[in-house]
Amino acid sequence: MSPKLYKSLSTSVSALLVALLLSACHPRQPDDLLTISGPFEAVSLAPSKSGYVYTRMQILETLINANDAGKLLPGLAQSWDIDDQNRRWTLHLRPEVTFHNGTPLTAEAVVHSLKTALNNPGPLLKAGIDSIRATDPNTVVIQLQQPYLPFTAVLAHYSTAILAPESYADNGDVVELYGTGPYQLTEYIPPHKVKVSRFDDYWSTPANIAQAEYLTGHRSESRALMVKSGEADIVYNLDPASVDLLKKSDQVQIDSTMIPRSILIKVNNAHPFFKDLKTRKALSLAIDRQSIAANILGAPGTGASQFFGPTMNQWHLDDLPEPVQDLKQAKTLLTEAGWKPSKDGTLVRNGQPFQVRMITYANRPELMLVATAIQAQWAELGIQLDVSMENASAIPSGHNDGSLQLALIARNFANIPDPLATIQADFSTAAGGDWGPMNWNNTEAFSLLTAMKTESNANVLAQQRQQLSRLLAEDLPMIPVSFYVQQSAVANRVQGFHFDPFERSFHIAQMSLINQ
């Protein structure tokens, strides 16, 4: 698929959006209500399932916070101590913090929340916790079975958010959402709506905006229509065509922020076609990343030949050359791997045509366009790639039952502020991770990650990060395509918008609305 065809597709989508937007007519938002729309659903009150919505809406808070550079900062824990063996964390809670139901934050409440989190999916399960206990009303001690240096950052993950004990039923289910944030839940219509109001007894600076709501908008063009017409104030995760259209509006501003997320092809490394590194390298060389970045993603220069982008500077390899498509070398590698073209040009090996299936999902609207471009580029090698859109849950499901062949994903490496915790989960065993490699067995990488769990020497750890990044770039357990630029649209009446590169908060409490 040529760049002209990419642009033609983008222009067609833009034309459709123009027609839709011209026909739209919605009243202006109330002066005291901020409306946000994104593609994600709040399917449950449980932090383990939908906590990322509730922390972004600033209902729930965690013990540890992080700034835009990933530096860990006090949250509900105003300070913490780590013993010299890196196995015991002592957390000192902020005084005079109140839950939304009027009860105080205590060490016992924190222990209850964390122990409940241990019974649900989340990064706490991988930390090897031996015990969690309250030693006095304001102090919590967590003992690990063995050293785990990223543990402080794990306590900044949404699944570890702290709820009042009254939030839970006797069986541990969350039945009410009583957090400590600057906003409290006032309306919950799963999975499409979460509405909040300002919590006047918040322990820190009170919010400016009285009310806010999050509405699930499944289609990117629908979200674009919402912000253009005034039905929403902020919309997230826009496709490039919508961004191009909204740039023409004098009522909306576009925010483009590179974040610690990468577009990758998840590969089943046990599949007969992908076991051979030569084949994976050939598939990588056949991708025209520069054209995809410029003409589909609208983000020139973000094509990726490695896993971790420039925003992950400790993991990023500065000396790697820019990725370049090389079909000639790709064909040579495929020939060396035993593939030969048939009469119709399709590659065949041992009587089997090179025909595989790639799935992707709608939450990141640009992924289907990128997958279609890769389909066209691999066809030039004689590879038949079937592309389909599925629910995002199909990817971990296919990983776990072994049926997945390929998936195009946008992997967030820093939903825990220290990327090591996520990387440990993805790359440290042959089982891989739901959103990491699949059936990749590399003893060098596994040994390196085991050592990094306990390495306290900063210089050695820095070398290990670079070593692992280089190993991943060379062995291609997944195939990097592009570094990620988050595209958001913000109505002019919103003041103080700021996108959190770690996607932990919408920062509503720091915004204000102006009357127009």
Side-chain angles (χ1 to χ4, degrees), residues 348-405:
V348 176
R349 186 175 68 183
N350 300 326
Q352 286 187 302
F354 203 141
Q355 183 172 2
V356 288
R357 180 171 180 254
M358 176 187 286
I359 64 174
T360 191
Y361 50 98
N363 288 353
R364 303 284 168 178
E366 67 282 354
L367 292 182
M368 190 63 187
L369 293 173
V370 174
T372 304
I374 292 171
Q375 179 186 49
Q377 291 167 4
W378 285 2
E380 296 183 56
L381 296 177
I383 295 170
Q384 296 180 26
L385 178 65
D386 299 323
V387 174
S388 63
M389 184 87 76
E390 304 281 351
N391 290 326
S393 60
I395 292 170
S397 175
H399 177 107
N400 291 315
D401 67 19
S403 63
L404 184 72
Q405 295 181 343

Short mmCIF file of all heavy atoms in Angstrom, two decimals, residues 348-405:
data_model
loop_
_atom_site.label_atom_id
_atom_site.label_comp_id
_atom_site.label_asym_id
_atom_site.label_seq_id
_atom_site.Cartn_x
_atom_site.Cartn_y
_atom_site.Cartn_z
N VAL A 348 5.73 -20.66 -0.08
CA VAL A 348 5.35 -22.02 0.31
C VAL A 348 6.57 -22.70 0.91
O VAL A 348 7.70 -22.53 0.44
CB VAL A 348 4.81 -22.82 -0.88
CG1 VAL A 348 4.52 -24.26 -0.47
CG2 VAL A 348 3.56 -22.17 -1.46
N ARG A 349 6.36 -23.49 1.96
CA ARG A 349 7.41 -24.31 2.53
C ARG A 349 6.82 -25.64 2.96
O ARG A 349 5.82 -25.67 3.68
CB ARG A 349 8.06 -23.62 3.74
CG ARG A 349 9.27 -24.37 4.30
CD ARG A 349 9.95 -23.59 5.43
NE ARG A 349 9.10 -23.52 6.62
CZ ARG A 349 9.41 -22.85 7.72
NH1 ARG A 349 10.55 -22.16 7.79
NH2 ARG A 349 8.58 -22.83 8.75
N ASN A 350 7.42 -26.73 2.48
CA ASN A 350 6.93 -28.07 2.79
C ASN A 350 5.45 -28.23 2.46
O ASN A 350 4.68 -28.86 3.19
CB ASN A 350 7.16 -28.42 4.27
CG ASN A 350 8.63 -28.39 4.64
OD1 ASN A 350 9.50 -28.73 3.83
ND2 ASN A 350 8.92 -27.99 5.87
N GLY A 351 5.07 -27.62 1.34
CA GLY A 351 3.68 -27.73 0.90
C GLY A 351 2.70 -26.81 1.60
O GLY A 351 1.51 -26.81 1.27
N GLN A 352 3.16 -26.01 2.54
CA GLN A 352 2.29 -25.11 3.29
C GLN A 352 2.46 -23.68 2.83
O GLN A 352 3.58 -23.17 2.80
CB GLN A 352 2.57 -25.19 4.78
CG GLN A 352 2.06 -26.45 5.47
CD GLN A 352 2.23 -26.34 6.98
OE1 GLN A 352 3.33 -26.15 7.48
NE2 GLN A 352 1.13 -26.46 7.71
N PRO A 353 1.37 -23.01 2.47
CA PRO A 353 1.48 -21.60 2.11
C PRO A 353 1.71 -20.74 3.35
O PRO A 353 1.25 -21.08 4.45
CB PRO A 353 0.13 -21.29 1.47
CG PRO A 353 -0.81 -22.26 2.10
CD PRO A 353 -0.01 -23.52 2.34
N PHE A 354 2.41 -19.64 3.18
CA PHE A 354 2.65 -18.72 4.29
C PHE A 354 1.39 -17.86 4.44
O PHE A 354 1.31 -16.74 3.97
CB PHE A 354 3.87 -17.85 4.00
CG PHE A 354 4.51 -17.28 5.24
CD1 PHE A 354 5.89 -17.19 5.36
CD2 PHE A 354 3.74 -16.84 6.31
CE1 PHE A 354 6.49 -16.66 6.51
CE2 PHE A 354 4.32 -16.32 7.45
CZ PHE A 354 5.70 -16.22 7.56
N GLN A 355 0.43 -18.42 5.14
CA GLN A 355 -0.84 -17.72 5.39
C GLN A 355 -1.08 -17.70 6.90
O GLN A 355 -1.14 -18.75 7.54
CB GLN A 355 -2.00 -18.41 4.68
CG GLN A 355 -3.32 -17.69 4.86
CD GLN A 355 -4.43 -18.27 4.00
OE1 GLN A 355 -4.22 -19.26 3.29
NE2 GLN A 355 -5.60 -17.67 4.05
N VAL A 356 -1.20 -16.52 7.48
CA VAL A 356 -1.35 -16.37 8.92
C VAL A 356 -2.41 -15.31 9.22
O VAL A 356 -2.83 -14.56 8.34
CB VAL A 356 -0.02 -15.98 9.61
CG1 VAL A 356 0.94 -17.16 9.62
CG2 VAL A 356 0.61 -14.77 8.94
N ARG A 357 -2.81 -15.28 10.50
CA ARG A 357 -3.88 -14.36 10.92
C ARG A 357 -3.37 -13.41 11.98
O ARG A 357 -2.69 -13.82 12.93
CB ARG A 357 -5.07 -15.17 11.48
CG ARG A 357 -6.24 -14.32 11.95
CD ARG A 357 -7.43 -15.21 12.27
NE ARG A 357 -8.58 -14.42 12.73
CZ ARG A 357 -8.99 -14.35 13.99
NH1 ARG A 357 -8.34 -15.04 14.93
NH2 ARG A 357 -10.03 -13.62 14.33
N MET A 358 -3.69 -12.13 11.81
CA MET A 358 -3.37 -11.10 12.79
C MET A 358 -4.66 -10.49 13.30
O MET A 358 -5.53 -10.12 12.51
CB MET A 358 -2.49 -10.01 12.18
CG MET A 358 -2.19 -8.83 13.12
SD MET A 358 -1.31 -7.48 12.30
CE MET A 358 0.33 -8.19 12.14
N ILE A 359 -4.78 -10.38 14.64
CA ILE A 359 -5.94 -9.71 15.20
C ILE A 359 -5.50 -8.40 15.87
O ILE A 359 -4.35 -8.24 16.26
CB ILE A 359 -6.69 -10.60 16.22
CG1 ILE A 359 -5.83 -10.91 17.45
CG2 ILE A 359 -7.17 -11.87 15.55
CD1 ILE A 359 -6.57 -11.65 18.55
N THR A 360 -6.43 -7.48 15.96
CA THR A 360 -6.20 -6.24 16.69
C THR A 360 -7.52 -5.81 17.29
O THR A 360 -8.51 -6.57 17.27
CB THR A 360 -5.57 -5.16 15.81
OG1 THR A 360 -5.14 -4.07 16.61
CG2 THR A 360 -6.51 -4.70 14.72
N TYR A 361 -7.60 -4.60 17.86
CA TYR A 361 -8.79 -4.22 18.63
C TYR A 361 -9.07 -2.74 18.44
O TYR A 361 -8.21 -1.97 17.99
CB TYR A 361 -8.58 -4.54 20.12
CG TYR A 361 -7.29 -4.02 20.69
CD1 TYR A 361 -7.24 -2.83 21.40
CD2 TYR A 361 -6.09 -4.73 20.51
CE1 TYR A 361 -6.04 -2.35 21.92
CE2 TYR A 361 -4.89 -4.26 21.04
CZ TYR A 361 -4.88 -3.06 21.74
OH TYR A 361 -3.70 -2.60 22.24
N ALA A 362 -10.28 -2.33 18.81
CA ALA A 362 -10.76 -0.99 18.45
C ALA A 362 -10.40 0.09 19.45
O ALA A 362 -10.51 1.27 19.12
CB ALA A 362 -12.29 -1.03 18.28
N ASN A 363 -9.97 -0.27 20.66
CA ASN A 363 -9.70 0.76 21.67
C ASN A 363 -8.64 1.76 21.23
O ASN A 363 -8.65 2.91 21.65
CB ASN A 363 -9.25 0.10 22.99
CG ASN A 363 -10.39 -0.60 23.70
OD1 ASN A 363 -11.53 -0.49 23.29
ND2 ASN A 363 -10.08 -1.32 24.75
N ARG A 364 -7.71 1.28 20.42
CA ARG A 364 -6.70 2.16 19.82
C ARG A 364 -7.03 2.23 18.33
O ARG A 364 -6.67 1.35 17.55
CB ARG A 364 -5.30 1.59 20.04
CG ARG A 364 -4.95 1.37 21.51
CD ARG A 364 -4.61 2.67 22.20
NE ARG A 364 -4.56 2.53 23.65
CZ ARG A 364 -4.26 3.51 24.48
NH1 ARG A 364 -3.95 4.69 23.99
NH2 ARG A 364 -4.26 3.32 25.79
N PRO A 365 -7.77 3.26 17.90
CA PRO A 365 -8.39 3.25 16.57
C PRO A 365 -7.42 3.19 15.41
O PRO A 365 -7.78 2.77 14.31
CB PRO A 365 -9.20 4.55 16.55
CG PRO A 365 -8.57 5.42 17.59
CD PRO A 365 -8.10 4.48 18.65
N GLU A 366 -6.16 3.61 15.63
CA GLU A 366 -5.19 3.59 14.53
C GLU A 366 -4.67 2.19 14.23
O GLU A 366 -4.08 1.94 13.17
CB GLU A 366 -4.02 4.51 14.85
CG GLU A 366 -3.15 4.06 16.03
CD GLU A 366 -3.74 4.34 17.40
OE1 GLU A 366 -4.79 5.00 17.47
OE2 GLU A 366 -3.16 3.89 18.40
N LEU A 367 -4.89 1.23 15.14
CA LEU A 367 -4.26 -0.08 14.98
C LEU A 367 -4.77 -0.83 13.75
O LEU A 367 -3.99 -1.50 13.07
CB LEU A 367 -4.48 -0.93 16.24
CG LEU A 367 -3.75 -0.46 17.50
CD1 LEU A 367 -4.02 -1.41 18.66
CD2 LEU A 367 -2.25 -0.35 17.25
N MET A 368 -6.05 -0.72 13.46
CA MET A 368 -6.58 -1.43 12.30
C MET A 368 -5.98 -0.89 11.01
O MET A 368 -5.66 -1.65 10.09
CB MET A 368 -8.10 -1.34 12.26
CG MET A 368 -8.74 -2.25 11.21
SD MET A 368 -8.42 -4.00 11.57
CE MET A 368 -9.09 -4.77 10.08
N LEU A 369 -5.78 0.43 10.93
CA LEU A 369 -5.15 1.01 9.75
C LEU A 369 -3.71 0.54 9.61
O LEU A 369 -3.24 0.23 8.50
CB LEU A 369 -5.20 2.53 9.83
CG LEU A 369 -6.58 3.19 9.73
CD1 LEU A 369 -6.47 4.69 10.00
CD2 LEU A 369 -7.20 2.93 8.37
N VAL A 370 -2.99 0.48 10.73
CA VAL A 370 -1.60 0.01 10.70
C VAL A 370 -1.56 -1.46 10.29
O VAL A 370 -0.72 -1.87 9.48
CB VAL A 370 -0.93 0.22 12.07
CG1 VAL A 370 0.46 -0.41 12.09
CG2 VAL A 370 -0.83 1.71 12.39
N ALA A 371 -2.47 -2.26 10.84
CA ALA A 371 -2.50 -3.69 10.50
C ALA A 371 -2.77 -3.89 9.01
O ALA A 371 -2.17 -4.76 8.36
CB ALA A 371 -3.57 -4.40 11.33
N THR A 372 -3.64 -3.06 8.45
CA THR A 372 -3.94 -3.16 7.01
C THR A 372 -2.73 -2.78 6.17
O THR A 372 -2.47 -3.38 5.12
CB THR A 372 -5.15 -2.27 6.67
OG1 THR A 372 -6.26 -2.64 7.49
CG2 THR A 372 -5.53 -2.42 5.21
N ALA A 373 -1.98 -1.79 6.63
CA ALA A 373 -0.76 -1.42 5.91
C ALA A 373 0.26 -2.54 5.95
O ALA A 373 0.91 -2.86 4.93
CB ALA A 373 -0.17 -0.15 6.53
N ILE A 374 0.44 -3.17 7.11
CA ILE A 374 1.37 -4.29 7.23
C ILE A 374 0.92 -5.44 6.34
O ILE A 374 1.74 -6.12 5.69
CB ILE A 374 1.49 -4.72 8.70
CG1 ILE A 374 2.18 -3.62 9.51
CG2 ILE A 374 2.26 -6.03 8.83
CD1 ILE A 374 2.16 -3.85 11.01
N GLN A 375 -0.36 -5.66 6.28
CA GLN A 375 -0.91 -6.71 5.39
C GLN A 375 -0.46 -6.47 3.95
O GLN A 375 0.00 -7.41 3.27
CB GLN A 375 -2.43 -6.68 5.48
CG GLN A 375 -3.15 -7.69 4.59
CD GLN A 375 -4.66 -7.47 4.63
OE1 GLN A 375 -5.14 -6.35 4.47
NE2 GLN A 375 -5.40 -8.54 4.88
N ALA A 376 -0.55 -5.23 3.50
CA ALA A 376 -0.15 -4.91 2.13
C ALA A 376 1.35 -5.04 1.93
O ALA A 376 1.83 -5.52 0.89
CB ALA A 376 -0.61 -3.49 1.78
N GLN A 377 2.12 -4.64 2.93
CA GLN A 377 3.58 -4.69 2.81
C GLN A 377 4.09 -6.14 2.84
O GLN A 377 5.02 -6.49 2.11
CB GLN A 377 4.21 -3.85 3.92
CG GLN A 377 3.96 -2.36 3.71
CD GLN A 377 4.27 -1.52 4.93
OE1 GLN A 377 4.75 -2.01 5.95
NE2 GLN A 377 4.00 -0.22 4.85
N TRP A 378 3.52 -6.96 3.66
CA TRP A 378 3.93 -8.37 3.70
C TRP A 378 3.49 -9.12 2.44
O TRP A 378 4.12 -10.10 2.04
CB TRP A 378 3.37 -9.05 4.95
CG TRP A 378 4.12 -8.66 6.20
CD1 TRP A 378 5.16 -7.79 6.31
CD2 TRP A 378 3.86 -9.13 7.52
NE1 TRP A 378 5.58 -7.68 7.61
CE2 TRP A 378 4.81 -8.50 8.38
CE3 TRP A 378 2.95 -10.02 8.08
CZ2 TRP A 378 4.84 -8.74 9.76
CZ3 TRP A 378 2.96 -10.26 9.45
CH2 TRP A 378 3.90 -9.63 10.27
N ALA A 379 2.41 -8.65 1.81
CA ALA A 379 1.96 -9.28 0.56
C ALA A 379 3.03 -9.16 -0.51
O ALA A 379 3.13 -10.02 -1.41
CB ALA A 379 0.66 -8.64 0.10
N GLU A 380 3.85 -8.10 -0.43
CA GLU A 380 4.93 -7.95 -1.41
C GLU A 380 5.98 -9.03 -1.28
O GLU A 380 6.77 -9.27 -2.20
CB GLU A 380 5.59 -6.57 -1.24
CG GLU A 380 4.65 -5.41 -1.54
CD GLU A 380 5.35 -4.06 -1.45
OE1 GLU A 380 6.35 -3.88 -2.15
OE2 GLU A 380 4.89 -3.20 -0.67
N LEU A 381 6.02 -9.71 -0.12
CA LEU A 381 6.93 -10.84 0.07
C LEU A 381 6.30 -12.16 -0.35
O LEU A 381 6.98 -13.18 -0.44
CB LEU A 381 7.34 -10.96 1.54
CG LEU A 381 8.14 -9.81 2.15
CD1 LEU A 381 8.37 -10.10 3.64
CD2 LEU A 381 9.47 -9.65 1.44
N GLY A 382 4.97 -12.16 -0.56
CA GLY A 382 4.26 -13.40 -0.85
C GLY A 382 3.60 -14.00 0.38
O GLY A 382 3.27 -15.19 0.40
N ILE A 383 3.40 -13.18 1.41
CA ILE A 383 2.76 -13.64 2.65
C ILE A 383 1.30 -13.20 2.64
O ILE A 383 0.99 -12.03 2.41
CB ILE A 383 3.47 -13.06 3.89
CG1 ILE A 383 4.90 -13.62 3.96
CG2 ILE A 383 2.70 -13.38 5.17
CD1 ILE A 383 5.75 -12.94 5.01
N GLN A 384 0.41 -14.16 2.89
CA GLN A 384 -1.01 -13.86 2.97
C GLN A 384 -1.37 -13.62 4.44
O GLN A 384 -1.35 -14.53 5.25
CB GLN A 384 -1.85 -15.02 2.43
CG GLN A 384 -1.63 -15.29 0.95
CD GLN A 384 -2.49 -16.44 0.45
OE1 GLN A 384 -3.55 -16.73 1.01
NE2 GLN A 384 -2.04 -17.09 -0.61
N LEU A 385 -1.66 -12.38 4.76
CA LEU A 385 -2.00 -12.01 6.14
C LEU A 385 -3.47 -11.65 6.20
O LEU A 385 -3.93 -10.72 5.54
CB LEU A 385 -1.15 -10.82 6.59
CG LEU A 385 -1.43 -10.29 8.00
CD1 LEU A 385 -1.06 -11.34 9.05
CD2 LEU A 385 -0.65 -8.99 8.24
N ASP A 386 -4.22 -12.41 6.99
CA ASP A 386 -5.62 -12.08 7.25
C ASP A 386 -5.67 -11.20 8.51
O ASP A 386 -5.08 -11.55 9.54
CB ASP A 386 -6.45 -13.36 7.48
CG ASP A 386 -6.44 -14.26 6.26
OD1 ASP A 386 -6.47 -13.74 5.13
OD2 ASP A 386 -6.40 -15.50 6.44
N VAL A 387 -6.38 -10.10 8.43
CA VAL A 387 -6.47 -9.15 9.53
C VAL A 387 -7.92 -9.05 9.99
O VAL A 387 -8.83 -8.94 9.16
CB VAL A 387 -5.96 -7.75 9.10
CG1 VAL A 387 -6.19 -6.73 10.19
CG2 VAL A 387 -4.48 -7.82 8.73
N SER A 388 -8.13 -9.08 11.30
CA SER A 388 -9.48 -8.94 11.81
C SER A 388 -9.49 -8.15 13.11
O SER A 388 -8.50 -8.13 13.85
CB SER A 388 -10.12 -10.31 12.04
OG SER A 388 -9.42 -11.04 13.03
N MET A 389 -10.61 -7.49 13.35
CA MET A 389 -10.81 -6.72 14.57
C MET A 389 -11.55 -7.59 15.58
O MET A 389 -12.58 -8.19 15.26
CB MET A 389 -11.64 -5.48 14.27
CG MET A 389 -11.83 -4.56 15.46
SD MET A 389 -10.48 -3.40 15.63
CE MET A 389 -10.89 -2.22 14.33
N GLU A 390 -11.02 -7.67 16.79
CA GLU A 390 -11.63 -8.45 17.86
C GLU A 390 -11.76 -7.59 19.10
O GLU A 390 -11.24 -6.47 19.16
CB GLU A 390 -10.75 -9.68 18.18
CG GLU A 390 -10.45 -10.58 17.00
CD GLU A 390 -11.59 -11.51 16.64
OE1 GLU A 390 -12.57 -11.56 17.43
OE2 GLU A 390 -11.52 -12.17 15.60
N ASN A 391 -12.43 -8.12 20.11
CA ASN A 391 -12.37 -7.48 21.42
C ASN A 391 -10.95 -7.61 21.95
O ASN A 391 -10.26 -8.59 21.69
CB ASN A 391 -13.35 -8.14 22.40
CG ASN A 391 -14.79 -7.84 22.04
OD1 ASN A 391 -15.11 -6.76 21.55
ND2 ASN A 391 -15.68 -8.78 22.30
N ALA A 392 -10.52 -6.63 22.73
CA ALA A 392 -9.16 -6.67 23.28
C ALA A 392 -8.93 -7.94 24.09
O ALA A 392 -7.81 -8.46 24.14
CB ALA A 392 -8.91 -5.44 24.14
N SER A 393 -9.97 -8.47 24.69
CA SER A 393 -9.83 -9.68 25.52
C SER A 393 -9.42 -10.90 24.71
O SER A 393 -8.95 -11.89 25.28
CB SER A 393 -11.14 -9.97 26.25
OG SER A 393 -12.20 -10.18 25.32
N ALA A 394 -9.59 -10.85 23.39
CA ALA A 394 -9.21 -11.99 22.54
C ALA A 394 -7.71 -12.22 22.54
O ALA A 394 -7.24 -13.34 22.29
CB ALA A 394 -9.71 -11.79 21.11
N ILE A 395 -6.93 -11.17 22.85
CA ILE A 395 -5.47 -11.32 22.81
C ILE A 395 -4.96 -12.11 24.01
O ILE A 395 -4.28 -13.13 23.83
CB ILE A 395 -4.80 -9.94 22.68
CG1 ILE A 395 -5.13 -9.38 21.28
CG2 ILE A 395 -3.29 -10.04 22.87
CD1 ILE A 395 -4.74 -7.95 21.07
N PRO A 396 -5.28 -11.74 25.26
CA PRO A 396 -4.87 -12.61 26.36
C PRO A 396 -5.51 -13.99 26.30
O PRO A 396 -4.89 -14.98 26.69
CB PRO A 396 -5.30 -11.84 27.62
CG PRO A 396 -6.21 -10.77 27.15
CD PRO A 396 -5.86 -10.47 25.74
N SER A 397 -6.73 -14.06 25.79
CA SER A 397 -7.38 -15.37 25.66
C SER A 397 -6.62 -16.26 24.68
O SER A 397 -6.35 -17.44 24.96
CB SER A 397 -8.83 -15.18 25.19
OG SER A 397 -9.44 -16.43 24.96
N GLY A 398 -6.24 -15.70 23.52
CA GLY A 398 -5.49 -16.46 22.52
C GLY A 398 -4.10 -16.81 23.00
O GLY A 398 -3.54 -17.86 22.63
N HIS A 399 -3.51 -15.91 23.83
CA HIS A 399 -2.21 -16.21 24.43
C HIS A 399 -2.31 -17.43 25.33
O HIS A 399 -1.49 -18.36 25.26
CB HIS A 399 -1.73 -15.00 25.21
CG HIS A 399 -0.43 -15.19 25.93
ND1 HIS A 399 0.76 -14.61 25.50
CD2 HIS A 399 -0.10 -15.91 27.03
CE1 HIS A 399 1.74 -14.97 26.31
NE2 HIS A 399 1.24 -15.75 27.26
N ASN A 400 -3.33 -17.44 26.17
CA ASN A 400 -3.43 -18.49 27.19
C ASN A 400 -3.86 -19.83 26.63
O ASN A 400 -3.46 -20.87 27.16
CB ASN A 400 -4.40 -18.03 28.30
CG ASN A 400 -3.83 -16.88 29.11
OD1 ASN A 400 -2.67 -16.90 29.50
ND2 ASN A 400 -4.62 -15.85 29.36
N ASP A 401 -4.67 -19.84 25.58
CA ASP A 401 -5.07 -21.15 25.01
C ASP A 401 -4.19 -21.57 23.84
O ASP A 401 -4.38 -22.65 23.26
CB ASP A 401 -6.55 -21.16 24.61
CG ASP A 401 -6.90 -20.24 23.44
OD1 ASP A 401 -6.00 -19.84 22.67
OD2 ASP A 401 -8.09 -19.91 23.29
N GLY A 402 -3.20 -20.73 23.47
CA GLY A 402 -2.24 -21.09 22.44
C GLY A 402 -2.70 -20.87 21.02
O GLY A 402 -1.97 -21.19 20.07
N SER A 403 -3.90 -20.32 20.82
CA SER A 403 -4.45 -20.20 19.47
C SER A 403 -3.97 -18.96 18.72
O SER A 403 -4.08 -18.89 17.50
CB SER A 403 -5.98 -20.18 19.53
OG SER A 403 -6.44 -19.04 20.26
N LEU A 404 -3.42 -18.00 19.44
CA LEU A 404 -3.00 -16.74 18.81
C LEU A 404 -1.81 -16.97 17.88
O LEU A 404 -0.87 -17.66 18.23
CB LEU A 404 -2.62 -15.73 19.89
CG LEU A 404 -2.26 -14.32 19.40
CD1 LEU A 404 -3.50 -13.58 18.93
CD2 LEU A 404 -1.56 -13.53 20.50
N GLN A 405 -1.85 -16.37 16.71
CA GLN A 405 -0.72 -16.38 15.79
C GLN A 405 0.02 -15.04 15.83
O GLN A 405 1.20 -14.99 16.14
CB GLN A 405 -1.19 -16.70 14.36
CG GLN A 405 -1.77 -18.10 14.22
CD GLN A 405 -2.21 -18.39 12.79
OE1 GLN A 405 -2.40 -17.49 11.95
NE2 GLN A 405 -2.40 -19.67 12.50
#
